């Protein structure tokens, strides 16, 4: 019954990233990310998801830094 905002606050930010309103992703499951429309990123995971995981253009820089460990 918790919101993703509440869950996100309890997770270590170096391991988990809030991709969008629907997904929090764990770094070890990220396979790759590719450019998508409007400077957004499409993230591919090592597991299947029911929907595409899209990173907004506002979060693209944060996501790249998080993924590279900066």
């Amino acid at each position: 019954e918790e919101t993703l905002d509440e869950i996100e606050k309890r997770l270590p930010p170096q391991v988990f990233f809030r991709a969008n309103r629907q997904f929090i992703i764990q770094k070890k499951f990220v396979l790759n990310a590719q450019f998508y429309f409007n400077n957004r990123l499409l993230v591919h995971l090592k597991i299947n998801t029911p929907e595409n995981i899209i990173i907004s253009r506002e979060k693209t820089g944060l996501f790249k830094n998080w993924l590279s460990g900066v």
Side-chain angles (χ1 to χ4, degrees):
E1 295 183 18
E2 291 181 277
T3 66
L4 282 183
D5 286 333
E6 293 167 339
I7 295 169
E8 179 185 18
K9 289 175 185 174
R10 293 195 331 259
L11 298 172
Q14 61 275 29
V15 178
F16 293 92
F17 186 83
R18 177 73 180 267
N20 55 39
R21 291 186 211 173
Q22 298 169 302
F23 291 99
I24 296 174
I25 56 178
Q26 188 175 358
K27 190 180 287 188
K28 72 178 184 179
F29 287 101
V30 176
L31 188 59
N32 62 36
Q34 67 185 64
F35 286 107
Y36 197 63
F37 300 105
N38 256 350
N39 295 322
R40 296 179 294 168
L41 292 175
L42 174 61
V43 178
H44 299 280
L45 299 181
K46 295 175 184 175
I47 60 172
N48 292 327
T49 57
E51 298 177 31
N52 288 335
I53 299 175
I54 308 293
I55 306 291
S56 70
R57 64 175 172 242
E58 292 82 13
K59 286 188 169 185
T60 295
L62 292 171
F63 178 77
K64 289 179 178 178
N65 288 340
W66 171 77
L67 200 55
S68 66
V70 176

